[in-house]
Amino acid sequence: MVTDPAPRTLPEPVGLNAEFYAHCAAGELRFQRCDTCSAWRHPPRYRCPACGSETWSWELSASRGRVYTWTVTHRPLDPFFADELPYAVVVVETEEGVRVVGNLRGIEVGDLALDLPVEILFSPQTDRVALLEFGPVT
Ligand SMILES: [Zn+2]
């Protein structure tokens, strides 16, 4: 008997998070940047944590960073990932200084290292959501 694969659990973003994911779905990695003190920030929020300003812009990221930390999953808590074990969930510090979370593409779990340079890629899921993935710098 053949069964359909389990659907992937996706974020259902609202507010500023929906704006972030919409940029990703459009193929652009953008983070908020304070119009007053130029501090980058992520995840999205309405006030700058550095100066308290309420004015900001969605600025384009260089889409590059370095591995900050990761965890490797060996048990399929979500059935969608059962065929991908073991897989890593990785935190990358971008060149802008903010950190993002995603999965690997084109890098083996055993090749992960602190400070490993990576390129930030998109995995389109819907017309409103693309997830972030990290691949080797090309
Ligand atoms: Zn600020």
Side-chain angles (χ1 to χ4, degrees):
M1 181 174 134
V2 177
T3 58
D4 290 334
R8 184 170 190 170
T9 302
L10 294 174
E12 295 180 17
V14 297
L16 294 176
N17 286 319
E19 293 180 33
F20 171 76
Y21 280 108
H23 289 300
C24 294
E28 293 185 333
L29 181 58
R30 290 182 178 271
F31 299 115
Q32 287 177 295
R33 190 170 193 191
C34 178
D35 289 341
T36 303
C37 76
S38 300
W40 295 85
R41 64 187 192 245
H42 186 75
R45 61 199 95 157
Y46 288 98
R47 297 184 78 110
C48 176
C51 77
S53 172
E54 296 178 345
T55 61
W56 48 269
S57 306
W58 288 105
E59 296 283 332
L60 200 58
S61 165
S63 296
R64 288 184 301 272
R66 293 181 175 271
V67 170
Y68 181 79
T69 189
W70 71 89
T71 186
V72 177
T73 298
H74 296 274
R75 300 175 70 188
L77 299 176
D78 183 333
F80 177 84
F81 295 102
D83 294 336
E84 300 186 28
L85 297 173
Y87 66 88
V89 177
V90 182
V91 177
V92 164
E93 187 165 279
T94 67
E95 288 187 0
E96 293 79 21
V98 301
R99 296 179 187 147
V100 290
V101 178
N103 293 111
L104 294 175
R105 184 196 307 173
I107 300 174
E108 294 298 320
V109 169
D111 292 335
L112 277 169
L114 293 175
D115 242 12
L116 179 72
V118 293
E119 192 167 316
I120 302 170
L121 311 164
F122 299 105
S123 174
Q125 302 294 315
T126 70
D127 61 342
R128 296 178 52 232
V129 171
L131 301 177
L132 301 183
E133 294 181 334
F134 310 121
V137 174
T138 55

